[in-house]
Amino acid sequence: QVQLVEYGGGLVQAGGSLRLSCAASEGTFSAYSMAWFRQAPGKEREFVAAISLRGGTTYYAESVKGRFTISRDNAKNTVYLQMNSLKPEDTAVYYCAARLGVVSQARSYEARSYVHWGQGTQVTVSS
């Protein structure tokens, strides 16, 4: 069973950047569809971005399009989330998620589509 560990969160001023990383223990990392979700206090977990097995297809929430970029390095068993032009409303715990195999576009946005989750990393954007 794949284990996921996120890191790279922290405190940043509005307009700044952060890069989150999620390292997977599984050796067949390239067989997993990957995604990032986030959850702010008092709110439900929401989709941020997803990426296909080889990284050729990506999906983004409207709220982060043009600011965030998801990518993966299958040789390093790692998925990344580059976050630019951060806003206070981006403040949340960010979670990495994985599912073995292909996830359809429609289901990429749903948390229930993913089986494996990391413990989360806090991102705080100050105004």
Side-chain angles (χ1 to χ4, degrees):
Q1 179 171 335
V2 65
Q3 294 184 337
L4 307 173
V5 178
E6 305 98 333
Y7 52 98
L11 173 64
V12 63
Q13 289 188 334
S17 298
L18 280 175
R19 187 173 85 154
L20 304 183
S21 300
C22 172
S25 63
E26 176 60 54
T28 54
F29 179 71
S30 61
Y32 287 83
S33 294
M34 302 297 297
W36 288 95
F37 286 76
R38 66 187 182 186
Q39 188 166 17
K43 295 188 177 181
E44 294 186 354
R45 191 169 298 191
E46 67 172 359
F47 171 78
V48 175
I51 190 165
S52 59
L53 302 182
R54 295 183 180 181
T57 302
T58 56
Y59 307 109
Y60 295 93
E62 285 296 324
S63 59
V64 306
K65 272 185 182 177
R67 300 188 298 122
F68 290 11
T69 303
I70 187 171
S71 62
R72 65 190 296 165
D73 185 338
N74 286 344
K76 295 183 178 179
N77 285 9
T78 302
V79 62
Y80 305 97
L81 185 68
Q82 177 66 44
M83 305 185 295
N84 298 328
S85 302
L86 282 161
K87 305 175 181 180
E89 51 264 43
D90 294 319
T91 295
V93 177
Y94 283 71
Y95 297 92
C96 175
R99 181 188 177 95
L100 186 64
V102 175
V103 179
S104 67
Q105 179 178 358
R107 294 196 170 187
S108 291
Y109 302 88
E110 300 175 349
R112 62 183 178 179
S113 298
Y114 300 90
V115 176
H116 310 285
W117 292 83
Q119 81 290 347
T121 186
Q122 176 71 46
V123 172
T124 302
V125 184
S126 63
S127 57

